[in-house]
Amino acid sequence: MGQRKIDFYHRFAGVALEITLCAFAWSAAAQTADQAWLRSSPDGTSALQLRVRALGNGLLEQSAVRELQRGIGGAAKTSRLGQGRSAGAEIVVGTVEEVRMAFPSRPVPADLAPEGYGLSSTGSDAHLRIVVAGADERGTLYGAFALLRSLASEEDVAHLNLRDHPAMPVRWVDEWDNADGSIERGYAGRSIFFEGGKVRENLAPVAEYARLLASVGVNGCNVNNVNNAAPFLTPAMLRDLARVAGAMRPWGVRLALSVDIASPQKIGGLPTFDPLDPAVKAWWKAKADEIYALIPDFAGFTVKADSEGQPGPASFGRTPADAANLLAAALQSHGGVVLYRAFVYNHHLDWRDLKADRARAAYDIFHPLDGKFAPNVIVQTKEGPIDFQAREPVSPLFGGLTQTSQAMEIQVTQEYTGQQRHLVYLAPMWKQVLDFDLRSNGKSTPVKEVLAGAAFRQPLGGMVAVAGVGRDAWLGSPLALANLYAFGRLAWNPELDPAEIAAEWTRQTIGTNPEVVRTVVRMLMQSWPAYENYTGPLGMQTLTDITGSHYGPNIESSENNGWGQWHRADREGVGMDRSVATGTGYAGQYPPEVAKRYETAASTPDELLLFFHHVPYTYRLHSGKTVIQHIYDSHYQGADEAAKLVDEWASLKGRIDTRLYEQMRARLEYQAGHAIVWRDAIAEYFLKLSGIPDEQGRAGHHPGRLEAEDARLTGYKIIDATPWEDASGGKAVSCVLASENAPQRSCTAEWTYNGQAGRFNIAVRYFDLQPGAASFIFKVNGTTAANWTAAAALPSSRPHGDNSTRRTVRGIDLKPGDVLRVEGVPGQADPAALDYIEITPVGTGQ
Ligand code: GCV
């Protein structure tokens, strides 16, 4: 879209526009799109005298008109636009054919691509007419949203003449919702679709979600988990699912379902689910017919098979192509597609075998099947070869399937990237992947062109985001919504710049004040590099609890098991040798130019070095640093960057909605504290393992830290942390509940301050366990300086990096001899476990 400077508002209002977030949006009780980026008039009326009309009667055109009325009303109210000056002006919405018939003399784009639109305006003031012409009905809706985005971005809508269309046909979200209302890897409460084994009665949030999706061009929503999908194909559930499809239909979002390939046996009563068995084929055909009778615009199936315990065609010696084509045949006459996931791997690998490599699996299994898939099958591949880590190389499969339509799966729900408790704007990562040039046949082959079907001339292709929205304000954290927005925008146009997308989102969501926009964009853009720095840099992957929560640090959890997320850290060095010459051979799965780059440590970029090579800790990076020093430096840098996010946000106080400000302030402070938990766990783990000190003397030295295990303890018992790196010094104290009959009422840890007199910030690091809510009181010389309840919903029920939390009490005056005391009061099963207090002079850190 062009960068024309606005005079629309001046035309209508003659006032400068500065939209500030309205308080109603963040406090709304019902779950609405207003909680995300679609702001509308508080009372639903339009203050702007601008007629909006549709030329046709189609459902989507009506939605487009309603949306324009609502959006323009909102812009008018919030921007205090004057009334009446635009009387007579109008916005007209229609398909290209309708526009041509209504305005025969008006030039109309003749060759719009499917789902595309043209926006144009003629006349001025009372005679202004803006025409939204869609290639089809969906195009009219997308055009309407584009017009609203132009308004929010202050572009000149009085001189419009532009057209646009989506780069890729498949732009879906996948939800991993279970029928019981839980969501696999969801971090925003319970399902908006299901509860108690059924579709929810109230589907208003589903309609609002579809509205949000449509506003960024998303055209499909797969509503159920890829694990345990069989119950979703029962006749009763399908009838209920038709209501879900109905709720999304006005927004052009088609329903899709994850299916269990063993369904003919599990729910169909057949003795087999062999994809080549005629009875199985007939079962799927009848099932597809049943679905389309209920949901005529049904989009298709997503399949996870032979993966992580899900059944698959391998049980019968059949291939993924056999299974995909079975489903494709059933859907074909109805226009449905199959998204067959390439996330197929053996999770019982032998970790002692240095040639074993999970990263190889997708290519090894799917590349030999290239050309064998039916035309309505799309192979859906995660962006990297492992599993949504903080950084991975691009999956080589994108270059390995030249005769198959492909989609890329990414995660909006932040499974391995902070679970929405950490601000991590992922669009820069996705953009790197989209732009990555695979150099297939020695020619430019960026991933985005593969997904558009253009690189290898395939009929289909696209992007799919595992979204994980729930009832808690969609994604739990207000700023996490920038990821959902950015996914839609990049799937529509992968050429867009993530910073521009962030600015666009901020203007629509938080405010248009240029300083506010600059600050929020800076924060978003800094957030992924910061997270990568304090979790797992150099391509080591996220060094988290691989077999559990996927949240806090747990460095060895990936080793000595069959899951294959190995980093192979030992006393001498770290990293996985994936070279062809001496390693697993994974590097050789890329087209030759890229394979050559990754084959040697010297030619591999620093950020992926340890993904491809096992090197000594003393190995020098291109940056000139040794690997071990980089590990120390990046973790300290990442934690500092997380602390800066708090300061940046603080600069917005009073300039943005108060409730939003407070919500995010608390989240960012938590993140800054948890970044220190991460930093210390990893820096100290590698210090101990390598025995090589940090040149800057930081790792393992914490001058202001007073350990709980060294305190004068009353009631508290010293415990060993597991893993050891998750608590400072490997130990903590726990106010262990003695027994149900004689529970500990409270415990205390007390220290005498021996440092210099001055003013300090004092961080208290404790463990906020599930279930229960312990409380803490921090006292200086017997006077309470702070008290709080530890009631956050963090993973894990034992003291662990998942729930290790820092709370900073600021501006405390201390002199030698002062007594510092933490009183912990257990709450249910939360024993008020405590790690340390840390005293830092004000102005020198957290
Ligand atoms: C739906 C990872 C996640 C699983 C998820 C799986 C997948 O392993 O941790 O929760 O299962 O990916 O993508 O199928």
Side-chain angles (χ1 to χ4, degrees), residues 94-97 99 112 116-118 132-141:
T95 60
V96 167
E97 287 74 35
V99 172
L112 281 176
Y117 58 81
V132 179
D136 42 36
E137 268 216 71
R138 251 200 209 94
T140 64
L141 188 55

Side-chain angles (χ1 to χ4, degrees), residues 176 184-185 225-227 304 307-308 341 343 345 358 382 387-388 409 411 415-416 550 563:
W176 288 347
E184 181 150 350
R185 310 298 176 191
N225 193 355
V226 286
N227 294 331
K304 174 178 181 177
S307 170
E308 299 185 333
R341 297 176 83 222
F343 189 64
Y345 72 101
R358 167 173 166 182
K382 292 190 184 188
D387 197 3
F388 302 130
E409 180 178 313
Q411 256 188 348
E415 176 181 353
Y416 282 96
H550 299 182
W563 289 95

Side-chain angles (χ1 to χ4, degrees), residues 131-462:
V131 173
V132 179
D136 42 36
E137 268 216 71
R138 251 200 209 94
T140 64
L141 188 55
Y142 298 148
F145 280 116
L147 179 57
L148 287 170
R149 260 197 309 277
S150 297
L151 285 170
S153 297
E154 305 185 8
E155 287 176 11
D156 178 5
V157 292
H159 297 102
L160 276 174
N161 183 17
L162 62 92
R163 50 193 290 172
D164 205 357
H165 66 272
M168 22 189 122
V170 172
R171 305 177 305 281
W172 288 13
V173 284
D174 278 5
E175 310 295 335
W176 288 347
D177 291 31
N178 299 310
D180 67 2
S182 62
I183 303 176
E184 181 150 350
R185 310 298 176 191
Y187 309 102
R190 295 183 67 75
S191 171
I192 61 169
F193 301 98
F194 308 107
E195 193 58 75
K198 294 196 184 118
V199 169
R200 294 178 74 205
E201 271 317 304
N202 175 13
L203 291 180
V206 172
E208 285 291 289
Y209 183 41
R211 193 180 144 220
L212 273 178
L213 295 175
S215 75
V216 287
V218 173
N219 59 7
C221 177
N222 187 319
V223 294
N224 64 314
N225 193 355
V226 286
N227 294 331
N228 308 316
F232 289 84
L233 289 186
T234 59
M237 188 55 123
L238 288 175
R239 278 195 298 277
D240 247 13
L241 283 164
R243 289 201 295 117
V244 177
M248 299 196 294
R249 189 166 293 123
W251 303 101
V253 178
R254 295 165 72 189
L255 179 88
L257 287 176
S258 297
V259 294
D260 183 335
I261 200 73
S263 300
Q265 193 174 49
K266 285 188 179 167
I267 61 162
L270 297 188
T272 179
F273 61 94
D274 179 351
L276 300 192
D277 185 292
V280 170
K281 286 186 185 175
W283 188 89
W284 281 109
K285 177 80 183 73
K287 191 49 77 179
D289 293 347
E290 180 187 343
I291 293 173
Y292 279 92
L294 291 162
I295 308 167
D297 56 352
F298 183 69
F301 294 147
T302 302
V303 188
K304 174 178 181 177
D306 290 321
S307 170
E308 299 185 333
Q310 295 306 307
S315 310
F316 303 93
R318 313 296 186 205
T319 68
D322 293 329
N325 293 346
L326 161 80
L327 302 176
L331 296 172
Q332 199 263 334
S333 62
H334 302 287
V337 294
V338 177
L339 283 137
Y340 201 97
R341 297 176 83 222
F343 189 64
V344 180
Y345 72 101
N346 169 12
H347 67 280
H348 299 292
L349 287 174
D350 181 358
W351 63 93
R352 292 155 303 191
D353 176 1
L354 296 182
K355 299 285 180 195
D357 189 358
R358 167 173 166 182
R360 291 188 57 114
Y363 190 96
D364 281 347
I365 295 168
F366 284 81
H367 173 65
L369 300 175
D370 193 19
K372 300 205 163 95
F373 291 96
N376 57 333
V377 174
I378 300 164
V379 171
Q380 177 172 320
T381 307
K382 292 190 184 188
E383 90 255 1
I386 299 287
D387 197 3
F388 302 130
Q389 304 298 289
R391 184 184 292 269
E392 294 181 47
V394 167
S395 171
L397 192 57
F398 294 123
L401 296 180
T402 59
Q403 299 167 66
T404 306
S405 295
Q406 298 198 63
M408 176 165 82
E409 180 178 313
I410 57 168
Q411 256 188 348
V412 161
T413 190
Q414 295 171 229
E415 176 181 353
Y416 282 96
T417 50
Q419 304 188 353
Q420 280 106 283
R421 299 181 192 96
H422 291 231
L423 172 65
V424 185
Y425 176 56
L426 291 161
M429 179 209 267
W430 303 333
K431 177 69 173 156
Q432 278 188 13
V433 176
L434 288 164
D435 287 348
F436 186 83
D437 189 352
L438 291 152
R439 306 292 305 158
S440 184
N441 289 322
K443 291 198 230 109
S444 164
T445 323
V447 170
K448 59 194 169 197
E449 287 182 15
V450 175
L451 306 180
F456 303 127
R457 294 203 194 83
Q458 291 306 307
L460 294 167

Side-chain angles (χ1 to χ4, degrees), residues 803-836:
N803 46 44
S804 182
T805 306
R806 272 172 64 117
R807 182 179 185 100
T808 303
V809 187
R810 295 183 192 279
I812 302 287
D813 291 321
L814 292 180
K815 57 185 183 326
D818 281 350
V819 174
L820 306 169
R821 179 184 167 108
V822 174
E823 289 177 20
V825 181
Q828 294 163 314
D830 184 341
L834 184 66
D835 195 351
Y836 61 71

